[in-house]
Amino acid sequence: RKVKKGAAGRGCGGGTRTRALGDMGVGTERLVNFSAGPACVYEDVLVKAQEDLLNFEKNGLSVMEMSHRGKAFTRIIEEAEADLRELLGVPDEYSVLFMQGGATAQFAAVPYNLGWSDDVTDVGFRPRADYLTTGSWSKKALAEAKKVGVDANVVATGDNKSIPLDAAAWDVNADSGKKSKYFHVCANETIQGVELKGLSPRSVLDEAAGGIYQGVPLVADMSSNFCSKPVNVRDYGVIYAGAQKNVGPAGVTIVIVRRDLLGAAKVGTPTMLDWTVAAENASLYNTPPCFSIYMCGLVFKKLLRLGGLEQVEQINKKKCGLIYDAIKQSQGYFACPVDLKARSAMNVPFTIPESEDLEKKFIREAELQGLINLKGHRSVGGMRASIYNAMPMEDVEKLVAFMKDFQAKN
Protein backbone atom coordinates (compact mmCIF):
# COMPACT_ATOMS: atom_id res chain seq x y z
CA ARG A 1 0.00 0.00 0.00
CA LYS A 2 1.10 3.53 -0.67
CA VAL A 3 1.24 6.29 1.87
CA LYS A 4 -1.20 8.98 0.91
CA LYS A 5 0.30 12.42 0.64
CA GLY A 6 0.26 14.05 4.05
CA ALA A 7 -0.36 10.78 5.92
CA ALA A 8 1.41 10.09 9.17
CA GLY A 9 3.31 7.16 7.71
CA ARG A 10 5.00 4.20 9.30
CA GLY A 11 7.02 5.03 12.37
CA CYS A 12 6.39 5.86 16.00
CA GLY A 13 3.12 7.74 16.13
CA GLY A 14 2.35 6.92 12.48
CA GLY A 15 -0.77 5.09 11.44
CA THR A 16 -0.43 4.22 7.75
CA ARG A 17 2.09 1.59 6.71
CA THR A 18 3.98 1.40 3.44
CA ARG A 19 5.03 -2.22 3.49
CA ALA A 20 4.62 -3.15 -0.18
CA LEU A 21 7.36 -1.91 -2.48
CA GLY A 22 5.99 -3.06 -5.81
CA ASP A 23 5.57 0.50 -7.06
CA MET A 24 9.28 1.03 -6.48
CA GLY A 25 10.24 -2.01 -8.52
CA VAL A 26 11.19 -4.04 -5.45
CA GLY A 27 9.66 -7.49 -5.18
CA THR A 28 9.48 -7.67 -1.40
CA GLU A 29 8.11 -5.93 1.65
CA ARG A 30 10.16 -3.62 3.80
CA LEU A 31 12.17 -5.44 6.42
CA VAL A 32 12.14 -4.68 10.13
CA ASN A 33 15.60 -3.22 10.66
CA PHE A 34 17.05 -3.46 14.17
CA SER A 35 20.44 -2.19 13.03
CA ALA A 36 22.48 -0.11 15.48
CA GLY A 37 23.21 2.30 12.63
CA PRO A 38 22.58 3.27 9.96
CA ALA A 39 19.11 2.67 11.31
CA CYS A 40 15.55 2.74 10.05
CA VAL A 41 14.11 6.07 8.93
CA TYR A 42 10.47 7.13 9.22
CA GLU A 43 8.76 5.84 6.10
CA ASP A 44 6.80 9.04 5.49
CA VAL A 45 10.12 10.90 5.60
CA LEU A 46 11.48 8.50 2.97
CA VAL A 47 8.39 9.01 0.84
CA LYS A 48 8.77 12.80 1.05
CA ALA A 49 12.43 12.48 0.08
CA GLN A 50 11.43 10.28 -2.84
CA GLU A 51 8.97 12.92 -4.02
CA ASP A 52 11.68 15.59 -3.85
CA LEU A 53 14.49 13.47 -5.26
CA LEU A 54 14.32 14.53 -8.90
CA ASN A 55 12.87 18.01 -8.48
CA PHE A 56 13.02 19.66 -5.06
CA GLU A 57 10.00 21.96 -4.68
CA LYS A 58 9.95 22.68 -8.42
CA ASN A 59 13.49 24.07 -8.39
CA GLY A 60 14.39 21.74 -11.27
CA LEU A 61 17.15 20.03 -9.28
CA SER A 62 17.62 17.36 -6.67
CA VAL A 63 18.97 18.47 -3.29
CA MET A 64 21.99 16.35 -4.20
CA GLU A 65 22.63 18.57 -7.23
CA MET A 66 21.96 22.09 -6.02
CA SER A 67 24.58 24.57 -4.83
CA HIS A 68 25.11 24.55 -1.10
CA ARG A 69 25.31 28.34 -1.31
CA GLY A 70 22.08 28.79 -3.27
CA LYS A 71 18.82 30.09 -1.85
CA ALA A 72 17.08 26.70 -1.81
CA PHE A 73 19.73 24.93 0.26
CA THR A 74 20.24 27.96 2.49
CA ARG A 75 16.59 27.65 3.46
CA ILE A 76 16.99 23.89 4.02
CA ILE A 77 19.91 24.22 6.43
CA GLU A 78 18.47 27.24 8.24
CA GLU A 79 15.14 25.49 8.78
CA ALA A 80 16.92 22.35 9.98
CA GLU A 81 18.83 24.37 12.57
CA ALA A 82 15.73 26.30 13.67
CA ASP A 83 13.68 23.11 14.09
CA LEU A 84 16.48 21.40 16.03
CA ARG A 85 16.74 24.43 18.31
CA GLU A 86 13.00 24.20 18.96
CA LEU A 87 13.12 20.46 19.61
CA LEU A 88 15.97 20.59 22.12
CA GLY A 89 15.42 24.10 23.44
CA VAL A 90 18.92 25.12 22.32
CA PRO A 91 19.68 28.55 23.83
CA ASP A 92 20.99 31.44 21.71
CA GLU A 93 24.37 31.25 23.41
CA TYR A 94 25.02 27.92 21.69
CA SER A 95 26.09 27.34 18.09
CA VAL A 96 24.62 24.46 16.09
CA LEU A 97 27.07 22.98 13.61
CA PHE A 98 26.55 20.43 10.85
CA MET A 99 29.91 18.70 10.45
CA GLN A 100 31.35 15.57 8.85
CA GLY A 101 33.47 12.61 9.93
CA GLY A 102 31.00 11.05 12.35
CA ALA A 103 31.26 11.18 16.12
CA THR A 104 34.66 9.53 15.72
CA ALA A 105 36.07 12.75 14.22
CA GLN A 106 34.73 14.61 17.26
CA PHE A 107 36.77 12.34 19.53
CA ALA A 108 39.73 14.36 18.26
CA ALA A 109 37.89 17.65 17.71
CA VAL A 110 36.90 17.88 21.39
CA PRO A 111 40.48 18.00 22.75
CA TYR A 112 41.72 20.12 19.85
CA ASN A 113 39.09 22.78 20.57
CA LEU A 114 39.01 22.67 24.37
CA GLY A 115 42.35 21.41 25.61
CA TRP A 116 44.62 24.35 24.85
CA SER A 117 42.30 27.27 25.66
CA ASP A 118 44.84 28.82 28.07
CA ASP A 119 47.52 29.05 25.39
CA VAL A 120 46.70 27.75 21.93
CA THR A 121 50.34 28.09 20.85
CA ASP A 122 51.83 25.90 23.60
CA VAL A 123 51.69 22.76 21.52
CA GLY A 124 54.03 20.91 23.88
CA PHE A 125 51.66 21.29 26.83
CA ARG A 126 49.62 18.25 27.82
CA PRO A 127 46.27 19.52 29.13
CA ARG A 128 44.24 17.46 31.55
CA ALA A 129 40.79 16.19 30.64
CA ASP A 130 38.60 13.72 32.52
CA TYR A 131 36.76 10.75 31.05
CA LEU A 132 34.02 8.56 32.47
CA THR A 133 34.36 5.36 30.44
CA THR A 134 31.21 3.27 30.33
CA GLY A 135 31.66 1.16 27.21
CA SER A 136 33.31 0.82 23.82
CA TRP A 137 32.68 4.31 22.45
CA SER A 138 33.80 6.29 25.47
CA LYS A 139 36.97 4.18 25.49
CA LYS A 140 37.57 5.05 21.83
CA ALA A 141 37.08 8.74 22.64
CA LEU A 142 39.63 8.42 25.44
CA ALA A 143 42.17 6.76 23.15
CA GLU A 144 41.79 9.51 20.53
CA ALA A 145 42.30 12.25 23.11
CA LYS A 146 45.56 10.63 24.16
CA LYS A 147 46.71 10.62 20.52
CA VAL A 148 46.05 14.35 20.32
CA GLY A 149 48.26 14.93 23.37
CA VAL A 150 45.82 15.13 26.27
CA ASP A 151 46.75 13.98 29.76
CA ALA A 152 43.53 12.00 30.09
CA ASN A 153 42.36 11.04 33.56
CA VAL A 154 39.88 8.17 33.79
CA VAL A 155 37.67 8.88 36.79
CA ALA A 156 35.93 5.51 36.59
CA THR A 157 35.41 2.60 34.22
CA GLY A 158 32.08 0.85 33.89
CA ASP A 159 31.59 -2.90 33.88
CA ASN A 160 29.54 -2.92 30.66
CA LYS A 161 26.31 -3.29 32.61
CA SER A 162 26.12 -0.22 34.85
CA ILE A 163 27.12 3.46 35.06
CA PRO A 164 29.60 4.38 37.82
CA LEU A 165 27.91 7.64 38.91
CA ASP A 166 29.04 7.53 42.54
CA ALA A 167 31.36 10.52 42.41
CA ALA A 168 32.69 9.74 45.88
CA ALA A 169 34.34 6.65 44.40
CA TRP A 170 35.87 8.45 41.41
CA ASP A 171 39.60 8.86 40.93
CA VAL A 172 39.61 12.64 40.49
CA ASN A 173 43.42 12.86 40.73
CA ALA A 174 43.13 16.04 42.79
CA ASP A 175 46.90 16.20 43.34
CA SER A 176 47.77 16.44 39.65
CA GLY A 177 48.15 20.21 39.80
CA LYS A 178 46.13 20.61 36.61
CA LYS A 179 42.55 21.81 36.28
CA SER A 180 40.53 19.68 33.91
CA LYS A 181 39.71 21.36 30.61
CA TYR A 182 36.57 19.26 30.11
CA PHE A 183 34.74 16.19 31.41
CA HIS A 184 33.64 13.68 28.75
CA VAL A 185 30.79 11.17 28.92
CA CYS A 186 28.99 8.93 26.45
CA ALA A 187 25.26 9.34 27.05
CA ASN A 188 24.37 5.94 25.57
CA GLU A 189 26.74 3.11 24.79
CA THR A 190 25.37 1.54 21.62
CA ILE A 191 27.27 -1.74 21.94
CA GLN A 192 26.74 -2.47 25.63
CA GLY A 193 23.24 -0.97 25.86
CA VAL A 194 23.91 1.21 28.92
CA GLU A 195 22.47 4.72 29.13
CA LEU A 196 22.97 7.72 31.38
CA LYS A 197 19.51 8.61 32.63
CA GLY A 198 17.68 9.94 35.61
CA LEU A 199 20.42 11.78 37.48
CA SER A 200 21.89 14.82 35.72
CA PRO A 201 25.59 14.33 34.96
CA ARG A 202 26.06 18.06 35.58
CA SER A 203 24.74 17.82 39.12
CA VAL A 204 27.08 14.90 39.81
CA LEU A 205 30.05 16.91 38.56
CA ASP A 206 29.20 19.98 40.61
CA GLU A 207 29.04 17.92 43.80
CA ALA A 208 32.15 15.80 43.15
CA ALA A 209 35.26 16.08 45.32
CA GLY A 210 34.55 19.43 46.86
CA GLY A 211 33.76 21.20 43.63
CA ILE A 212 36.84 20.16 41.64
CA TYR A 213 34.76 20.20 38.45
CA GLN A 214 32.95 23.48 39.06
CA GLY A 215 32.99 25.39 35.79
CA VAL A 216 34.49 22.48 33.83
CA PRO A 217 32.58 22.00 30.56
CA LEU A 218 30.64 18.76 30.36
CA VAL A 219 31.00 17.14 26.93
CA ALA A 220 28.60 14.40 25.83
CA ASP A 221 28.64 12.00 22.92
CA MET A 222 24.89 11.55 22.36
CA SER A 223 25.13 9.72 19.06
CA SER A 224 22.76 6.89 19.91
CA ASN A 225 20.16 8.70 22.03
CA PHE A 226 20.20 12.14 20.41
CA CYS A 227 16.68 13.60 20.13
CA SER A 228 15.17 10.52 21.80
CA LYS A 229 14.21 12.51 24.89
CA PRO A 230 14.46 16.06 26.25
CA VAL A 231 17.80 17.23 27.65
CA ASN A 232 18.80 20.42 29.40
CA VAL A 233 21.32 21.77 26.89
CA ARG A 234 22.65 24.28 29.43
CA ASP A 235 24.02 21.36 31.48
CA TYR A 236 26.56 20.80 28.71
CA GLY A 237 29.38 22.73 27.16
CA VAL A 238 29.31 20.50 24.09
CA ILE A 239 26.90 17.90 22.71
CA TYR A 240 27.80 15.94 19.60
CA ALA A 241 26.05 13.16 17.72
CA GLY A 242 26.23 11.23 14.49
CA ALA A 243 22.87 11.46 12.72
CA GLN A 244 22.54 7.90 11.48
CA LYS A 245 20.64 6.47 14.44
CA ASN A 246 17.83 8.81 15.44
CA VAL A 247 17.73 11.80 13.12
CA GLY A 248 18.69 10.83 9.58
CA PRO A 249 21.12 8.99 7.31
CA ALA A 250 24.86 8.73 7.78
CA GLY A 251 27.02 11.61 6.59
CA VAL A 252 26.37 14.49 8.98
CA THR A 253 27.45 14.99 12.58
CA ILE A 254 25.67 17.55 14.72
CA VAL A 255 27.68 19.57 17.22
CA ILE A 256 26.05 21.91 19.73
CA VAL A 257 28.70 24.05 21.44
CA ARG A 258 28.51 26.93 23.88
CA ARG A 259 29.80 29.99 22.08
CA ASP A 260 32.23 31.04 24.80
CA LEU A 261 34.12 27.79 24.16
CA LEU A 262 34.83 28.76 20.55
CA GLY A 263 37.92 30.57 19.35
CA ALA A 264 40.51 28.59 21.29
CA ALA A 265 41.48 25.69 19.05
CA LYS A 266 45.05 24.49 19.37
CA VAL A 267 47.41 25.89 16.76
CA GLY A 268 47.62 23.33 13.98
CA THR A 269 44.09 22.00 14.49
CA PRO A 270 42.91 20.55 11.16
CA THR A 271 40.50 23.00 9.56
CA MET A 272 37.66 20.51 9.35
CA LEU A 273 37.89 19.80 13.09
CA ASP A 274 37.90 23.46 14.12
CA TRP A 275 34.49 24.38 15.54
CA THR A 276 35.20 28.09 15.17
CA VAL A 277 35.76 27.72 11.43
CA ALA A 278 32.48 25.82 11.15
CA ALA A 279 30.59 28.39 13.24
CA GLU A 280 32.00 31.42 11.42
CA ASN A 281 31.02 29.88 8.09
CA ALA A 282 27.55 28.65 9.16
CA SER A 283 28.66 25.03 8.53
CA LEU A 284 29.42 25.95 4.91
CA TYR A 285 33.22 26.31 4.91
CA ASN A 286 33.25 23.59 2.28
CA THR A 287 30.49 21.58 0.63
CA PRO A 288 28.51 19.97 3.46
CA PRO A 289 26.62 16.66 3.25
CA CYS A 290 23.64 18.44 1.70
CA PHE A 291 21.27 15.50 1.32
CA SER A 292 21.94 14.21 4.83
CA ILE A 293 21.20 17.66 6.27
CA TYR A 294 18.01 17.84 4.21
CA MET A 295 16.93 14.43 5.57
CA CYS A 296 17.68 15.52 9.14
CA GLY A 297 15.51 18.55 8.54
CA LEU A 298 12.61 16.31 7.50
CA VAL A 299 13.09 14.18 10.62
CA PHE A 300 13.14 17.25 12.88
CA LYS A 301 9.80 18.37 11.40
CA LYS A 302 8.45 14.86 11.95
CA LEU A 303 9.49 14.91 15.62
CA LEU A 304 7.83 18.28 16.08
CA ARG A 305 4.62 16.96 14.50
CA LEU A 306 4.67 14.05 16.95
CA GLY A 307 4.52 16.55 19.80
CA GLY A 308 8.19 17.15 20.52
CA LEU A 309 10.72 15.16 22.50
CA GLU A 310 8.53 14.76 25.59
CA GLN A 311 6.08 12.72 23.52
CA VAL A 312 8.87 10.92 21.66
CA GLU A 313 10.41 9.88 24.99
CA GLN A 314 7.13 8.35 26.17
CA ILE A 315 6.82 6.33 22.96
CA ASN A 316 10.41 5.14 23.30
CA LYS A 317 9.82 4.08 26.90
CA LYS A 318 6.84 1.99 25.83
CA LYS A 319 8.80 0.34 23.03
CA CYS A 320 11.79 -0.69 25.11
CA GLY A 321 9.46 -1.67 27.95
CA LEU A 322 7.83 -4.27 25.73
CA ILE A 323 11.16 -6.02 25.13
CA TYR A 324 12.43 -5.76 28.70
CA ASP A 325 9.10 -7.13 29.96
CA ALA A 326 9.31 -10.01 27.50
CA ILE A 327 12.79 -10.84 28.79
CA LYS A 328 11.54 -10.77 32.38
CA GLN A 329 8.48 -12.87 31.59
CA SER A 330 10.62 -15.53 29.91
CA GLN A 331 11.70 -16.60 33.42
CA GLY A 332 15.35 -16.88 32.54
CA TYR A 333 15.10 -18.20 29.00
CA PHE A 334 16.19 -14.77 27.78
CA ALA A 335 18.45 -12.53 29.84
CA CYS A 336 19.55 -8.91 29.71
CA PRO A 337 23.08 -8.34 31.06
CA VAL A 338 22.49 -4.66 31.94
CA ASP A 339 21.45 -3.44 35.39
CA LEU A 340 17.90 -2.11 35.58
CA LYS A 341 18.90 1.50 36.30
CA ALA A 342 21.21 1.71 33.28
CA ARG A 343 19.18 -0.12 30.63
CA SER A 344 19.09 1.76 27.37
CA ALA A 345 15.85 2.81 25.73
CA MET A 346 17.62 2.68 22.36
CA ASN A 347 19.74 -0.48 22.32
CA VAL A 348 18.45 -3.61 24.07
CA PRO A 349 21.03 -6.42 24.39
CA PHE A 350 19.77 -9.87 25.34
CA THR A 351 21.05 -13.42 25.40
CA ILE A 352 19.90 -17.00 25.68
CA PRO A 353 22.15 -17.95 28.61
CA GLU A 354 24.71 -20.66 27.98
CA SER A 355 23.39 -21.50 24.52
CA GLU A 356 25.20 -19.85 21.65
CA ASP A 357 23.68 -22.39 19.28
CA LEU A 358 20.17 -21.27 20.21
CA GLU A 359 21.21 -17.64 19.80
CA LYS A 360 22.42 -18.35 16.28
CA LYS A 361 19.19 -20.17 15.53
CA PHE A 362 17.18 -17.24 16.93
CA ILE A 363 18.99 -14.77 14.67
CA ARG A 364 18.65 -17.04 11.63
CA GLU A 365 14.94 -17.69 12.11
CA ALA A 366 14.25 -14.04 12.91
CA GLU A 367 15.74 -13.08 9.56
CA LEU A 368 13.36 -15.50 7.84
CA GLN A 369 10.55 -13.52 9.49
CA GLY A 370 11.94 -10.23 8.16
CA LEU A 371 13.46 -9.23 11.52
CA ILE A 372 17.01 -8.33 10.56
CA ASN A 373 20.23 -7.08 12.19
CA LEU A 374 19.53 -8.60 15.60
CA LYS A 375 22.99 -10.08 15.99
CA GLY A 376 24.86 -8.54 18.91
CA HIS A 377 28.10 -6.69 18.37
CA ARG A 378 31.01 -9.05 17.78
CA SER A 379 32.70 -7.86 20.99
CA VAL A 380 29.80 -8.88 23.26
CA GLY A 381 27.82 -11.50 21.33
CA GLY A 382 24.20 -12.43 21.92
CA MET A 383 21.45 -10.34 20.37
CA ARG A 384 20.72 -6.64 20.29
CA ALA A 385 17.57 -4.84 19.22
CA SER A 386 18.22 -1.21 18.34
CA ILE A 387 14.87 0.54 18.52
CA TYR A 388 15.54 4.17 17.71
CA ASN A 389 12.88 6.84 17.23
CA ALA A 390 11.71 5.63 13.82
CA MET A 391 11.18 2.01 14.86
CA PRO A 392 7.40 1.49 14.87
CA MET A 393 5.65 0.10 17.94
CA GLU A 394 4.08 -2.62 15.80
CA ASP A 395 7.50 -3.88 14.73
CA VAL A 396 8.66 -4.08 18.34
CA GLU A 397 5.49 -6.05 19.04
CA LYS A 398 6.41 -8.35 16.16
CA LEU A 399 9.83 -9.01 17.73
CA VAL A 400 8.27 -9.72 21.13
CA ALA A 401 5.82 -12.16 19.55
CA PHE A 402 8.69 -13.92 17.80
CA MET A 403 10.65 -14.15 21.08
CA LYS A 404 7.70 -15.82 22.79
CA ASP A 405 7.10 -18.18 19.90
CA PHE A 406 10.77 -19.12 19.70
CA GLN A 407 10.88 -19.90 23.41
CA ALA A 408 7.79 -22.08 23.14
CA LYS A 409 9.35 -24.13 20.34
CA ASN A 410 12.88 -24.35 21.72
Side-chain angles (χ1 to χ4, degrees):
R1 292 178 293 177
K2 296 180 181 178
V3 168
K4 295 179 181 178
K5 196 168 184 178
R10 176 178 179 264
C12 77
T16 305
R17 297 174 65 86
T18 58
R19 304 298 284 176
L21 301 184
D23 291 340
M24 303 179 197
V26 180
T28 186
E29 293 186 337
R30 278 182 61 81
L31 300 171
V32 181
N33 181 19
F34 292 99
S35 171
C40 60
V41 179
Y42 292 109
E43 283 192 10
D44 54 336
V45 167
L46 293 174
V47 170
K48 171 60 176 170
Q50 183 189 38
E51 292 173 356
D52 287 345
L53 189 62
L54 289 177
N55 189 356
F56 174 73
E57 296 185 355
K58 299 182 180 178
N59 281 276
L61 294 172
S62 170
V63 174
M64 291 185 284
E65 299 173 302
M66 63 179 56
S67 169
H68 60 292
R69 304 194 190 280
K71 290 182 180 180
F73 185 75
T74 296
R75 181 165 61 83
I76 287 171
I77 194 170
E78 288 179 351
E79 284 188 10
E81 178 179 340
D83 288 340
L84 179 58
R85 285 183 179 275
E86 182 179 351
L87 273 171
L88 281 172
V90 180
D92 291 341
E93 63 265 27
Y94 285 74
S95 290
V96 174
L97 311 176
F98 296 97
M99 302 187 73
Q100 301 180 59
T104 301
Q106 296 305 310
F107 294 167
V110 167
Y112 270 130
N113 284 275
L114 300 180
W116 281 263
S117 57
D118 292 333
D119 185 352
V120 299
T121 65
D122 189 1
V123 295
F125 178 64
R126 297 186 69 232
R128 169 179 168 169
D130 289 71
Y131 281 74
L132 177 64
T133 56
T134 50
S136 299
W137 292 108
S138 50
K139 290 176 182 178
K140 288 178 183 291
L142 170 71
E144 201 70 11
K146 290 179 178 179
K147 289 181 185 178
V148 171
V150 168
D151 180 11
N153 178 60
V154 179
V155 299
T157 298
D159 56 5
N160 292 336
K161 63 181 182 179
S162 63
I163 305 285
L165 278 180
D166 180 8
W170 285 355
D171 178 10
V172 299
N173 196 16
D175 298 327
S176 70
K178 296 179 181 178
K179 183 174 177 62
S180 184
K181 303 304 293 182
Y182 61 87
F183 192 106
H184 184 280
V185 298
C186 180
N188 186 82
E189 291 282 3
T190 316
I191 293 174
Q192 284 76 24
V194 296
E195 182 174 13
L196 278 169
K197 53 187 179 180
L199 191 61
S200 164
R202 181 73 260 172
S203 65
V204 174
L205 287 193
D206 290 343
E207 296 170 6
I212 191 172
Y213 297 116
Q214 287 281 350
V216 173
L218 176 59
V219 177
D221 174 3
M222 292 190 181
S223 291
S224 55
N225 66 354
F226 187 65
C227 284
S228 68
K229 60 183 179 181
V231 298
N232 183 359
V233 175
R234 282 196 171 95
D235 279 350
Y236 302 87
V238 182
I239 293 170
Y240 65 92
Q244 68 274 12
K245 301 176 188 295
N246 270 317
V247 297
V252 62
T253 308
I254 297 166
V255 180
I256 301 172
V257 55
R258 208 172 65 219
R259 296 186 199 275
D260 67 299
L261 298 175
L262 297 173
K266 177 184 179 182
V267 166
T269 295
T271 301
M272 297 310 296
L273 296 182
D274 191 328
W275 297 335
T276 305
V277 172
E280 290 177 346
N281 290 274
S283 302
L284 298 171
Y285 178 81
N286 71 333
T287 306
C290 297
F291 195 77
S292 294
I293 293 170
Y294 155 75
M295 289 291 291
C296 286
L298 294 183
V299 172
F300 297 152
K301 291 184 185 300
K302 169 75 174 183
L303 297 177
L304 288 169
R305 290 197 304 273
L306 288 171
L309 298 188
E310 292 83 1
Q311 179 64 20
V312 170
E313 179 183 28
Q314 294 309 309
I315 296 168
N316 285 331
K317 284 181 176 180
K318 290 178 183 177
K319 290 190 298 185
C320 70
L322 288 175
I323 303 177
Y324 288 127
D325 286 347
I327 294 170
K328 181 179 179 180
Q329 292 166 10
S330 75
Q331 298 182 325
Y333 186 86
F334 295 106
C336 176
V338 181
D339 291 349
L340 283 171
K341 291 182 179 180
R343 287 183 176 178
S344 171
M346 299 286 98
N347 311 101
V348 182
F350 59 102
T351 64
I352 300 176
E354 300 180 6
S355 184
E356 289 187 15
D357 288 341
L358 276 179
E359 289 177 347
K360 292 176 181 178
K361 184 179 181 182
F362 180 96
I363 294 165
R364 184 171 61 252
E365 293 188 2
E367 289 179 351
L368 295 175
Q369 298 297 318
L371 309 173
I372 66 167
N373 293 321
L374 282 165
K375 185 177 180 180
H377 191 271
R378 61 186 178 277
S379 64
V380 295
M383 288 81 71
R384 174 181 55 178
S386 294
I387 49 173
Y388 301 117
N389 286 349
M391 174 62 64
M393 187 76 70
E394 59 199 281
D395 285 350
V396 175
E397 291 170 347
K398 185 179 290 187
L399 171 61
V400 168
F402 175 76
M403 291 169 67
K404 293 178 179 179
D405 183 65
F406 185 87
Q407 180 180 355
K409 295 177 178 177
N410 295 277

